[in-house]
Amino acid sequence: MRHGPIPGVHGRVRPLTLLGDLTLHTPCREVTDFGPELARLVEDLFATMYAAQGVGLAANQIGVPLRVFVYDCPDDEDVRHLGHVVNPRLVEADGVVIRGPEGCLSLPGLEAGTERYDHAVIEGVTMTGEPITVHGTGWFARCLQHEYDHLEGRVYADHLTGWRHRRLMRQVARASWHRPR
């Protein structure tokens, strides 16, 4: 039985920002206004994430350069983690480094083996300014690191080197959504 509102139900699905857009490669600004516009942004992020069948979404992925992300992601024990973080800081990323498949709503349909730590801790605040600490392990730790990277102006492709990077860039060049510069 569900207790409380369903995130995204009142949100608007927004267009996704795709690889190649400078917004994805520019660090996002701190949120300073914790009013109704921020609440609408969080709702829109959830609505857009669910519509695109993702497990996380950062604000710059819908063209808003603010430090906000949402998530609805399981960990390796299939425990669901649902929430949002405003002005996050990655305070821990440690444990075992695991290379696993990683995709992104800003690179639709593509994925590559990307190395991430299997433990991460994010500190920030909620949309109402309440402090929050989010601990993630396994798949959820990967999600937290991925979304945090977006706010720093990085995408998972930036972590790839050698043949993995070259292969992904060839796939991007052939993707129907790719717009050459």
Side-chain angles (χ1 to χ4, degrees):
M1 177 183 294
R2 175 171 276 290
H3 300 284
I6 299 170
V9 91
H10 298 292
R12 174 173 62 95
V13 175
R14 298 200 200 178
L16 290 167
T17 303
L18 300 175
L19 185 68
D21 189 304
L22 286 179
T23 308
L24 292 177
H25 296 284
T26 305
C28 295
R29 297 185 318 269
E30 293 280 317
V31 172
T32 57
D33 182 0
F34 287 81
E37 285 185 27
L38 178 59
R40 274 193 298 279
L41 173 61
V42 169
E43 278 292 301
D44 290 356
L45 284 166
F46 273 113
T48 304
M49 177 185 72
Y50 289 138
Q53 299 178 359
V55 295
L57 189 66
N60 60 346
Q61 290 183 271
I62 59 169
V64 180
L66 292 175
R67 296 186 66 79
V68 181
F69 71 77
V70 300
Y71 55 87
D72 187 348
C73 183
D75 59 24
D76 288 354
E77 279 72 51
D78 213 25
V79 174
R80 181 184 186 194
H81 298 271
L82 172 67
H84 70 279
V85 184
V86 177
N87 296 335
R89 290 180 304 118
L90 181 64
V91 295
E92 285 182 44
D94 57 15
V96 178
V97 174
I98 297 175
R99 178 179 291 130
E102 194 161 326
C104 181
L105 297 177
S106 292
L107 288 84
L110 304 179
E111 69 177 36
T114 307
E115 291 184 351
R116 297 279 187 185
Y117 287 102
D118 72 342
H119 175 253
V121 178
I122 296 275
E123 290 180 350
V125 295
T126 66
M127 68 178 130
T128 58
E130 298 296 318
I132 186 171
T133 301
V134 183
H135 296 265
T137 59
W139 182 251
F140 183 47
R142 178 177 295 276
C143 174
L144 292 174
Q145 292 167 81
H146 178 108
E147 299 310 326
Y148 180 80
D149 271 356
H150 275 302
L151 303 181
E152 294 293 309
R154 295 185 300 258
V155 295
Y156 79 91
D158 298 331
H159 290 277
L160 303 176
T161 59
W163 68 269
R164 282 185 178 81
H165 187 264
R166 289 189 302 275
R167 182 178 65 188
L168 181 64
M169 291 302 103
R170 281 193 305 271
Q171 291 171 336
V172 166
R174 289 191 303 262
S176 62
W177 50 264
H178 177 67
R179 306 280 186 271
R181 291 184 189 196

PDB file of all heavy atoms in Angstrom, residues 73-112:
ATOM      1  N   CYS A  73      15.603   3.996  -8.193  1.00  0.00           N
ATOM      2  CA  CYS A  73      16.601   3.019  -8.621  1.00  0.00           C
ATOM      3  C   CYS A  73      16.750   1.911  -7.580  1.00  0.00           C
ATOM      4  O   CYS A  73      16.838   2.206  -6.385  1.00  0.00           O
ATOM      5  CB  CYS A  73      17.931   3.758  -8.803  1.00  0.00           C
ATOM      6  SG  CYS A  73      19.276   2.725  -9.408  1.00  0.00           S
ATOM      7  N   PRO A  74      16.821   0.676  -8.020  1.00  0.00           N
ATOM      8  CA  PRO A  74      17.083  -0.414  -7.071  1.00  0.00           C
ATOM      9  C   PRO A  74      18.577  -0.556  -6.797  1.00  0.00           C
ATOM     10  O   PRO A  74      19.412  -0.124  -7.587  1.00  0.00           O
ATOM     11  CB  PRO A  74      16.562  -1.647  -7.813  1.00  0.00           C
ATOM     12  CG  PRO A  74      16.803  -1.318  -9.252  1.00  0.00           C
ATOM     13  CD  PRO A  74      16.591   0.175  -9.372  1.00  0.00           C
ATOM     14  N   ASP A  75      18.881  -1.180  -5.664  1.00  0.00           N
ATOM     15  CA  ASP A  75      20.275  -1.556  -5.416  1.00  0.00           C
ATOM     16  C   ASP A  75      20.436  -3.021  -5.828  1.00  0.00           C
ATOM     17  O   ASP A  75      19.528  -3.608  -6.425  1.00  0.00           O
ATOM     18  CB  ASP A  75      20.686  -1.290  -3.959  1.00  0.00           C
ATOM     19  CG  ASP A  75      19.847  -2.047  -2.936  1.00  0.00           C
ATOM     20  OD1 ASP A  75      19.256  -3.102  -3.275  1.00  0.00           O
ATOM     21  OD2 ASP A  75      19.781  -1.587  -1.789  1.00  0.00           O
ATOM     22  N   ASP A  76      21.564  -3.606  -5.526  1.00  0.00           N
ATOM     23  CA  ASP A  76      21.817  -4.983  -5.952  1.00  0.00           C
ATOM     24  C   ASP A  76      20.953  -6.014  -5.235  1.00  0.00           C
ATOM     25  O   ASP A  76      20.839  -7.154  -5.684  1.00  0.00           O
ATOM     26  CB  ASP A  76      23.295  -5.339  -5.774  1.00  0.00           C
ATOM     27  CG  ASP A  76      24.185  -4.651  -6.803  1.00  0.00           C
ATOM     28  OD1 ASP A  76      23.648  -3.994  -7.724  1.00  0.00           O
ATOM     29  OD2 ASP A  76      25.415  -4.773  -6.679  1.00  0.00           O
ATOM     30  N   GLU A  77      20.345  -5.623  -4.114  1.00  0.00           N
ATOM     31  CA  GLU A  77      19.433  -6.530  -3.397  1.00  0.00           C
ATOM     32  C   GLU A  77      17.990  -6.280  -3.802  1.00  0.00           C
ATOM     33  O   GLU A  77      17.063  -6.758  -3.159  1.00  0.00           O
ATOM     34  CB  GLU A  77      19.595  -6.374  -1.880  1.00  0.00           C
ATOM     35  CG  GLU A  77      20.786  -7.137  -1.307  1.00  0.00           C
ATOM     36  CD  GLU A  77      22.118  -6.508  -1.687  1.00  0.00           C
ATOM     37  OE1 GLU A  77      22.280  -5.293  -1.488  1.00  0.00           O
ATOM     38  OE2 GLU A  77      22.990  -7.241  -2.193  1.00  0.00           O
ATOM     39  N   ASP A  78      17.798  -5.473  -4.846  1.00  0.00           N
ATOM     40  CA  ASP A  78      16.481  -5.123  -5.391  1.00  0.00           C
ATOM     41  C   ASP A  78      15.638  -4.291  -4.421  1.00  0.00           C
ATOM     42  O   ASP A  78      14.422  -4.321  -4.468  1.00  0.00           O
ATOM     43  CB  ASP A  78      15.726  -6.376  -5.836  1.00  0.00           C
ATOM     44  CG  ASP A  78      14.841  -6.079  -7.044  1.00  0.00           C
ATOM     45  OD1 ASP A  78      15.148  -5.125  -7.785  1.00  0.00           O
ATOM     46  OD2 ASP A  78      13.838  -6.788  -7.225  1.00  0.00           O
ATOM     47  N   VAL A  79      16.310  -3.551  -3.530  1.00  0.00           N
ATOM     48  CA  VAL A  79      15.619  -2.605  -2.655  1.00  0.00           C
ATOM     49  C   VAL A  79      15.476  -1.303  -3.431  1.00  0.00           C
ATOM     50  O   VAL A  79      16.452  -0.779  -3.972  1.00  0.00           O
ATOM     51  CB  VAL A  79      16.406  -2.370  -1.341  1.00  0.00           C
ATOM     52  CG1 VAL A  79      15.768  -1.275  -0.506  1.00  0.00           C
ATOM     53  CG2 VAL A  79      16.514  -3.666  -0.557  1.00  0.00           C
ATOM     54  N   ARG A  80      14.252  -0.786  -3.489  1.00  0.00           N
ATOM     55  CA  ARG A  80      13.963   0.427  -4.249  1.00  0.00           C
ATOM     56  C   ARG A  80      14.383   1.668  -3.460  1.00  0.00           C
ATOM     57  O   ARG A  80      14.076   1.811  -2.280  1.00  0.00           O
ATOM     58  CB  ARG A  80      12.467   0.496  -4.535  1.00  0.00           C
ATOM     59  CG  ARG A  80      12.049   1.688  -5.339  1.00  0.00           C
ATOM     60  CD  ARG A  80      10.547   1.723  -5.488  1.00  0.00           C
ATOM     61  NE  ARG A  80      10.110   2.772  -6.380  1.00  0.00           N
ATOM     62  CZ  ARG A  80       8.873   3.188  -6.468  1.00  0.00           C
ATOM     63  NH1 ARG A  80       7.927   2.624  -5.719  1.00  0.00           N
ATOM     64  NH2 ARG A  80       8.553   4.166  -7.298  1.00  0.00           N
ATOM     65  N   HIS A  81      15.062   2.598  -4.157  1.00  0.00           N
ATOM     66  CA  HIS A  81      15.454   3.882  -3.580  1.00  0.00           C
ATOM     67  C   HIS A  81      14.805   4.968  -4.427  1.00  0.00           C
ATOM     68  O   HIS A  81      15.001   5.010  -5.645  1.00  0.00           O
ATOM     69  CB  HIS A  81      16.979   4.029  -3.594  1.00  0.00           C
ATOM     70  CG  HIS A  81      17.664   2.988  -2.774  1.00  0.00           C
ATOM     71  ND1 HIS A  81      17.929   3.152  -1.437  1.00  0.00           N
ATOM     72  CD2 HIS A  81      18.106   1.751  -3.107  1.00  0.00           C
ATOM     73  CE1 HIS A  81      18.523   2.069  -0.979  1.00  0.00           C
ATOM     74  NE2 HIS A  81      18.633   1.193  -1.979  1.00  0.00           N
ATOM     75  N   LEU A  82      14.031   5.829  -3.789  1.00  0.00           N
ATOM     76  CA  LEU A  82      13.239   6.846  -4.476  1.00  0.00           C
ATOM     77  C   LEU A  82      13.456   8.184  -3.798  1.00  0.00           C
ATOM     78  O   LEU A  82      13.314   8.290  -2.573  1.00  0.00           O
ATOM     79  CB  LEU A  82      11.760   6.451  -4.405  1.00  0.00           C
ATOM     80  CG  LEU A  82      10.721   7.454  -4.884  1.00  0.00           C
ATOM     81  CD1 LEU A  82      10.835   7.666  -6.384  1.00  0.00           C
ATOM     82  CD2 LEU A  82       9.331   6.972  -4.516  1.00  0.00           C
ATOM     83  N   GLY A  83      13.833   9.203  -4.569  1.00  0.00           N
ATOM     84  CA  GLY A  83      13.996  10.511  -3.963  1.00  0.00           C
ATOM     85  C   GLY A  83      14.598  11.535  -4.896  1.00  0.00           C
ATOM     86  O   GLY A  83      14.704  11.325  -6.100  1.00  0.00           O
ATOM     87  N   HIS A  84      15.000  12.638  -4.298  1.00  0.00           N
ATOM     88  CA  HIS A  84      15.642  13.723  -5.037  1.00  0.00           C
ATOM     89  C   HIS A  84      16.677  14.366  -4.130  1.00  0.00           C
ATOM     90  O   HIS A  84      16.593  14.251  -2.905  1.00  0.00           O
ATOM     91  CB  HIS A  84      14.613  14.764  -5.497  1.00  0.00           C
ATOM     92  CG  HIS A  84      14.041  15.566  -4.377  1.00  0.00           C
ATOM     93  ND1 HIS A  84      13.024  15.103  -3.567  1.00  0.00           N
ATOM     94  CD2 HIS A  84      14.373  16.793  -3.898  1.00  0.00           C
ATOM     95  CE1 HIS A  84      12.740  16.019  -2.657  1.00  0.00           C
ATOM     96  NE2 HIS A  84      13.546  17.063  -2.830  1.00  0.00           N
ATOM     97  N   VAL A  85      17.653  15.038  -4.734  1.00  0.00           N
ATOM     98  CA  VAL A  85      18.676  15.750  -3.978  1.00  0.00           C
ATOM     99  C   VAL A  85      18.919  17.094  -4.665  1.00  0.00           C
ATOM    100  O   VAL A  85      19.068  17.158  -5.885  1.00  0.00           O
ATOM    101  CB  VAL A  85      20.006  14.966  -3.898  1.00  0.00           C
ATOM    102  CG1 VAL A  85      21.010  15.696  -3.010  1.00  0.00           C
ATOM    103  CG2 VAL A  85      19.791  13.547  -3.387  1.00  0.00           C
ATOM    104  N   VAL A  86      18.933  18.136  -3.854  1.00  0.00           N
ATOM    105  CA  VAL A  86      19.233  19.484  -4.324  1.00  0.00           C
ATOM    106  C   VAL A  86      20.609  19.867  -3.776  1.00  0.00           C
ATOM    107  O   VAL A  86      20.923  19.580  -2.617  1.00  0.00           O
ATOM    108  CB  VAL A  86      18.153  20.477  -3.828  1.00  0.00           C
ATOM    109  CG1 VAL A  86      18.482  21.902  -4.255  1.00  0.00           C
ATOM    110  CG2 VAL A  86      16.763  20.057  -4.317  1.00  0.00           C
ATOM    111  N   ASN A  87      21.413  20.504  -4.601  1.00  0.00           N
ATOM    112  CA  ASN A  87      22.778  20.917  -4.238  1.00  0.00           C
ATOM    113  C   ASN A  87      23.595  19.763  -3.648  1.00  0.00           C
ATOM    114  O   ASN A  87      24.189  19.885  -2.577  1.00  0.00           O
ATOM    115  CB  ASN A  87      22.748  22.108  -3.281  1.00  0.00           C
ATOM    116  CG  ASN A  87      22.156  23.345  -3.909  1.00  0.00           C
ATOM    117  OD1 ASN A  87      22.174  23.510  -5.120  1.00  0.00           O
ATOM    118  ND2 ASN A  87      21.623  24.229  -3.094  1.00  0.00           N
ATOM    119  N   PRO A  88      23.629  18.632  -4.353  1.00  0.00           N
ATOM    120  CA  PRO A  88      24.351  17.466  -3.816  1.00  0.00           C
ATOM    121  C   PRO A  88      25.862  17.652  -3.824  1.00  0.00           C
ATOM    122  O   PRO A  88      26.410  18.389  -4.644  1.00  0.00           O
ATOM    123  CB  PRO A  88      23.946  16.348  -4.769  1.00  0.00           C
ATOM    124  CG  PRO A  88      23.675  17.035  -6.051  1.00  0.00           C
ATOM    125  CD  PRO A  88      23.080  18.372  -5.676  1.00  0.00           C
ATOM    126  N   ARG A  89      26.489  16.944  -2.887  1.00  0.00           N
ATOM    127  CA  ARG A  89      27.944  16.807  -2.832  1.00  0.00           C
ATOM    128  C   ARG A  89      28.235  15.321  -2.690  1.00  0.00           C
ATOM    129  O   ARG A  89      27.640  14.655  -1.849  1.00  0.00           O
ATOM    130  CB  ARG A  89      28.526  17.543  -1.623  1.00  0.00           C
ATOM    131  CG  ARG A  89      28.462  19.055  -1.716  1.00  0.00           C
ATOM    132  CD  ARG A  89      29.038  19.756  -0.490  1.00  0.00           C
ATOM    133  NE  ARG A  89      28.379  19.298   0.745  1.00  0.00           N
ATOM    134  CZ  ARG A  89      28.994  18.666   1.748  1.00  0.00           C
ATOM    135  NH1 ARG A  89      30.277  18.419   1.712  1.00  0.00           N
ATOM    136  NH2 ARG A  89      28.320  18.285   2.811  1.00  0.00           N
ATOM    137  N   LEU A  90      29.117  14.825  -3.515  1.00  0.00           N
ATOM    138  CA  LEU A  90      29.559  13.433  -3.409  1.00  0.00           C
ATOM    139  C   LEU A  90      30.617  13.402  -2.322  1.00  0.00           C
ATOM    140  O   LEU A  90      31.722  13.905  -2.512  1.00  0.00           O
ATOM    141  CB  LEU A  90      30.120  12.944  -4.744  1.00  0.00           C
ATOM    142  CG  LEU A  90      30.607  11.506  -4.793  1.00  0.00           C
ATOM    143  CD1 LEU A  90      29.467  10.520  -4.567  1.00  0.00           C
ATOM    144  CD2 LEU A  90      31.279  11.235  -6.139  1.00  0.00           C
ATOM    145  N   VAL A  91      30.268  12.867  -1.149  1.00  0.00           N
ATOM    146  CA  VAL A  91      31.196  12.890  -0.016  1.00  0.00           C
ATOM    147  C   VAL A  91      31.974  11.586   0.133  1.00  0.00           C
ATOM    148  O   VAL A  91      33.013  11.574   0.790  1.00  0.00           O
ATOM    149  CB  VAL A  91      30.479  13.255   1.314  1.00  0.00           C
ATOM    150  CG1 VAL A  91      29.959  14.676   1.249  1.00  0.00           C
ATOM    151  CG2 VAL A  91      29.377  12.283   1.644  1.00  0.00           C
ATOM    152  N   GLU A  92      31.481  10.511  -0.468  1.00  0.00           N
ATOM    153  CA  GLU A  92      32.212   9.243  -0.479  1.00  0.00           C
ATOM    154  C   GLU A  92      31.918   8.506  -1.775  1.00  0.00           C
ATOM    155  O   GLU A  92      30.781   8.448  -2.216  1.00  0.00           O
ATOM    156  CB  GLU A  92      31.779   8.332   0.677  1.00  0.00           C
ATOM    157  CG  GLU A  92      32.281   8.718   2.029  1.00  0.00           C
ATOM    158  CD  GLU A  92      31.830   7.731   3.095  1.00  0.00           C
ATOM    159  OE1 GLU A  92      31.898   6.505   2.853  1.00  0.00           O
ATOM    160  OE2 GLU A  92      31.408   8.201   4.159  1.00  0.00           O
ATOM    161  N   ALA A  93      32.952   7.963  -2.354  1.00  0.00           N
ATOM    162  CA  ALA A  93      32.846   7.015  -3.465  1.00  0.00           C
ATOM    163  C   ALA A  93      34.017   6.077  -3.249  1.00  0.00           C
ATOM    164  O   ALA A  93      35.174   6.451  -3.451  1.00  0.00           O
ATOM    165  CB  ALA A  93      32.926   7.713  -4.811  1.00  0.00           C
ATOM    166  N   ASP A  94      33.699   4.886  -2.748  1.00  0.00           N
ATOM    167  CA  ASP A  94      34.765   3.965  -2.387  1.00  0.00           C
ATOM    168  C   ASP A  94      34.285   2.530  -2.484  1.00  0.00           C
ATOM    169  O   ASP A  94      33.196   2.262  -2.953  1.00  0.00           O
ATOM    170  CB  ASP A  94      35.290   4.279  -0.977  1.00  0.00           C
ATOM    171  CG  ASP A  94      34.213   4.239   0.091  1.00  0.00           C
ATOM    172  OD1 ASP A  94      33.106   3.706  -0.166  1.00  0.00           O
ATOM    173  OD2 ASP A  94      34.454   4.740   1.199  1.00  0.00           O
ATOM    174  N   GLY A  95      35.121   1.645  -2.026  1.00  0.00           N
ATOM    175  CA  GLY A  95      34.818   0.222  -2.127  1.00  0.00           C
ATOM    176  C   GLY A  95      35.487  -0.360  -3.352  1.00  0.00           C
ATOM    177  O   GLY A  95      36.524   0.117  -3.806  1.00  0.00           O
ATOM    178  N   VAL A  96      34.866  -1.362  -3.904  1.00  0.00           N
ATOM    179  CA  VAL A  96      35.385  -2.062  -5.073  1.00  0.00           C
ATOM    180  C   VAL A  96      34.988  -1.291  -6.334  1.00  0.00           C
ATOM    181  O   VAL A  96      33.861  -0.811  -6.440  1.00  0.00           O
ATOM    182  CB  VAL A  96      34.819  -3.498  -5.124  1.00  0.00           C
ATOM    183  CG1 VAL A  96      35.289  -4.236  -6.356  1.00  0.00           C
ATOM    184  CG2 VAL A  96      35.178  -4.255  -3.861  1.00  0.00           C
ATOM    185  N   VAL A  97      35.914  -1.176  -7.266  1.00  0.00           N
ATOM    186  CA  VAL A  97      35.597  -0.586  -8.565  1.00  0.00           C
ATOM    187  C   VAL A  97      35.067  -1.699  -9.454  1.00  0.00           C
ATOM    188  O   VAL A  97      35.725  -2.733  -9.632  1.00  0.00           O
ATOM    189  CB  VAL A  97      36.827   0.082  -9.204  1.00  0.00           C
ATOM    190  CG1 VAL A  97      36.506   0.560 -10.617  1.00  0.00           C
ATOM    191  CG2 VAL A  97      37.316   1.231  -8.343  1.00  0.00           C
ATOM    192  N   ILE A  98      33.872  -1.482  -9.990  1.00  0.00           N
ATOM    193  CA  ILE A  98      33.230  -2.485 -10.835  1.00  0.00           C
ATOM    194  C   ILE A  98      32.938  -1.876 -12.197  1.00  0.00           C
ATOM    195  O   ILE A  98      32.386  -0.777 -12.279  1.00  0.00           O
ATOM    196  CB  ILE A  98      31.920  -2.991 -10.190  1.00  0.00           C
ATOM    197  CG1 ILE A  98      32.232  -3.675  -8.864  1.00  0.00           C
ATOM    198  CG2 ILE A  98      31.169  -3.920 -11.139  1.00  0.00           C
ATOM    199  CD1 ILE A  98      31.021  -4.103  -8.069  1.00  0.00           C
ATOM    200  N   ARG A  99      33.321  -2.599 -13.245  1.00  0.00           N
ATOM    201  CA  ARG A  99      32.941  -2.180 -14.593  1.00  0.00           C
ATOM    202  C   ARG A  99      31.617  -2.850 -14.907  1.00  0.00           C
ATOM    203  O   ARG A  99      31.507  -4.070 -14.878  1.00  0.00           O
ATOM    204  CB  ARG A  99      33.984  -2.578 -15.629  1.00  0.00           C
ATOM    205  CG  ARG A  99      33.542  -2.169 -17.041  1.00  0.00           C
ATOM    206  CD  ARG A  99      34.548  -2.508 -18.116  1.00  0.00           C
ATOM    207  NE  ARG A  99      35.711  -1.660 -17.946  1.00  0.00           N
ATOM    208  CZ  ARG A  99      36.962  -2.117 -17.910  1.00  0.00           C
ATOM    209  NH1 ARG A  99      37.218  -3.402 -18.013  1.00  0.00           N
ATOM    210  NH2 ARG A  99      37.975  -1.287 -17.764  1.00  0.00           N
ATOM    211  N   GLY A 100      30.615  -2.035 -15.187  1.00  0.00           N
ATOM    212  CA  GLY A 100      29.302  -2.574 -15.501  1.00  0.00           C
ATOM    213  C   GLY A 100      28.639  -1.763 -16.592  1.00  0.00           C
ATOM    214  O   GLY A 100      29.069  -0.649 -16.908  1.00  0.00           O
ATOM    215  N   PRO A 101      27.585  -2.321 -17.175  1.00  0.00           N
ATOM    216  CA  PRO A 101      26.899  -1.614 -18.251  1.00  0.00           C
ATOM    217  C   PRO A 101      26.259  -0.335 -17.717  1.00  0.00           C
ATOM    218  O   PRO A 101      25.651  -0.330 -16.655  1.00  0.00           O
ATOM    219  CB  PRO A 101      25.836  -2.607 -18.724  1.00  0.00           C
ATOM    220  CG  PRO A 101      25.629  -3.521 -17.569  1.00  0.00           C
ATOM    221  CD  PRO A 101      26.926  -3.569 -16.827  1.00  0.00           C
ATOM    222  N   GLU A 102      26.455   0.750 -18.454  1.00  0.00           N
ATOM    223  CA  GLU A 102      25.876   2.018 -18.048  1.00  0.00           C
ATOM    224  C   GLU A 102      25.296   2.692 -19.273  1.00  0.00           C
ATOM    225  O   GLU A 102      25.919   2.738 -20.321  1.00  0.00           O
ATOM    226  CB  GLU A 102      26.947   2.894 -17.400  1.00  0.00           C
ATOM    227  CG  GLU A 102      26.385   4.063 -16.661  1.00  0.00           C
ATOM    228  CD  GLU A 102      27.373   4.661 -15.666  1.00  0.00           C
ATOM    229  OE1 GLU A 102      28.174   3.905 -15.070  1.00  0.00           O
ATOM    230  OE2 GLU A 102      27.341   5.885 -15.493  1.00  0.00           O
ATOM    231  N   GLY A 103      24.091   3.190 -19.117  1.00  0.00           N
ATOM    232  CA  GLY A 103      23.431   3.934 -20.178  1.00  0.00           C
ATOM    233  C   GLY A 103      23.036   5.298 -19.653  1.00  0.00           C
ATOM    234  O   GLY A 103      23.320   5.643 -18.504  1.00  0.00           O
ATOM    235  N   CYS A 104      22.383   6.071 -20.489  1.00  0.00           N
ATOM    236  CA  CYS A 104      22.011   7.431 -20.111  1.00  0.00           C
ATOM    237  C   CYS A 104      20.864   7.884 -20.997  1.00  0.00           C
ATOM    238  O   CYS A 104      20.876   7.634 -22.205  1.00  0.00           O
ATOM    239  CB  CYS A 104      23.217   8.356 -20.284  1.00  0.00           C
ATOM    240  SG  CYS A 104      22.915  10.066 -19.842  1.00  0.00           S
ATOM    241  N   LEU A 105      19.910   8.576 -20.398  1.00  0.00           N
ATOM    242  CA  LEU A 105      18.786   9.083 -21.174  1.00  0.00           C
ATOM    243  C   LEU A 105      19.229  10.143 -22.182  1.00  0.00           C
ATOM    244  O   LEU A 105      18.514  10.404 -23.148  1.00  0.00           O
ATOM    245  CB  LEU A 105      17.700   9.638 -20.248  1.00  0.00           C
ATOM    246  CG  LEU A 105      17.063   8.607 -19.311  1.00  0.00           C
ATOM    247  CD1 LEU A 105      16.059   9.263 -18.392  1.00  0.00           C
ATOM    248  CD2 LEU A 105      16.445   7.469 -20.092  1.00  0.00           C
ATOM    249  N   SER A 106      20.411  10.735 -21.981  1.00  0.00           N
ATOM    250  CA  SER A 106      20.942  11.714 -22.932  1.00  0.00           C
ATOM    251  C   SER A 106      21.756  11.071 -24.050  1.00  0.00           C
ATOM    252  O   SER A 106      22.223  11.761 -24.958  1.00  0.00           O
ATOM    253  CB  SER A 106      21.794  12.755 -22.193  1.00  0.00           C
ATOM    254  OG  SER A 106      20.971  13.552 -21.358  1.00  0.00           O
ATOM    255  N   LEU A 107      21.916   9.754 -23.991  1.00  0.00           N
ATOM    256  CA  LEU A 107      22.513   8.959 -25.062  1.00  0.00           C
ATOM    257  C   LEU A 107      21.585   7.768 -25.286  1.00  0.00           C
ATOM    258  O   LEU A 107      21.932   6.623 -25.010  1.00  0.00           O
ATOM    259  CB  LEU A 107      23.905   8.429 -24.674  1.00  0.00           C
ATOM    260  CG  LEU A 107      25.065   9.406 -24.595  1.00  0.00           C
ATOM    261  CD1 LEU A 107      25.117  10.097 -23.251  1.00  0.00           C
ATOM    262  CD2 LEU A 107      26.349   8.667 -24.848  1.00  0.00           C
ATOM    263  N   PRO A 108      20.359   8.038 -25.740  1.00  0.00           N
ATOM    264  CA  PRO A 108      19.336   6.984 -25.772  1.00  0.00           C
ATOM    265  C   PRO A 108      19.731   5.764 -26.600  1.00  0.00           C
ATOM    266  O   PRO A 108      20.269   5.886 -27.694  1.00  0.00           O
ATOM    267  CB  PRO A 108      18.110   7.681 -26.365  1.00  0.00           C
ATOM    268  CG  PRO A 108      18.586   8.961 -26.931  1.00  0.00           C
ATOM    269  CD  PRO A 108      19.886   9.296 -26.296  1.00  0.00           C
ATOM    270  N   GLY A 109      19.472   4.603 -25.996  1.00  0.00           N
ATOM    271  CA  GLY A 109      19.698   3.337 -26.681  1.00  0.00           C
ATOM    272  C   GLY A 109      21.123   2.823 -26.640  1.00  0.00           C
ATOM    273  O   GLY A 109      21.393   1.751 -27.169  1.00  0.00           O
ATOM    274  N   LEU A 110      22.041   3.569 -26.025  1.00  0.00           N
ATOM    275  CA  LEU A 110      23.443   3.158 -26.006  1.00  0.00           C
ATOM    276  C   LEU A 110      23.878   2.835 -24.588  1.00  0.00           C
ATOM    277  O   LEU A 110      23.303   3.335 -23.623  1.00  0.00           O
ATOM    278  CB  LEU A 110      24.330   4.276 -26.568  1.00  0.00           C
ATOM    279  CG  LEU A 110      23.986   4.771 -27.967  1.00  0.00           C
ATOM    280  CD1 LEU A 110      24.937   5.877 -28.378  1.00  0.00           C
ATOM    281  CD2 LEU A 110      24.019   3.627 -28.972  1.00  0.00           C
ATOM    282  N   GLU A 111      24.890   2.005 -24.477  1.00  0.00           N
ATOM    283  CA  GLU A 111      25.498   1.733 -23.176  1.00  0.00           C
ATOM    284  C   GLU A 111      26.927   1.257 -23.388  1.00  0.00           C
ATOM    285  O   GLU A 111      27.293   0.829 -24.479  1.00  0.00           O
ATOM    286  CB  GLU A 111      24.699   0.740 -22.340  1.00  0.00           C
ATOM    287  CG  GLU A 111      24.682  -0.661 -22.850  1.00  0.00           C
ATOM    288  CD  GLU A 111      23.930  -1.603 -21.909  1.00  0.00           C
ATOM    289  OE1 GLU A 111      22.931  -1.203 -21.293  1.00  0.00           O
ATOM    290  OE2 GLU A 111      24.359  -2.764 -21.828  1.00  0.00           O
ATOM    291  N   ALA A 112      27.705   1.352 -22.297  1.00  0.00           N
ATOM    292  CA  ALA A 112      29.094   0.905 -22.358  1.00  0.00           C
ATOM    293  C   ALA A 112      29.536   0.483 -20.968  1.00  0.00           C
ATOM    294  O   ALA A 112      29.026   1.004 -19.953  1.00  0.00           O
ATOM    295  CB  ALA A 112      29.999   2.026 -22.870  1.00  0.00           C
TER     296      ALA A 112
END
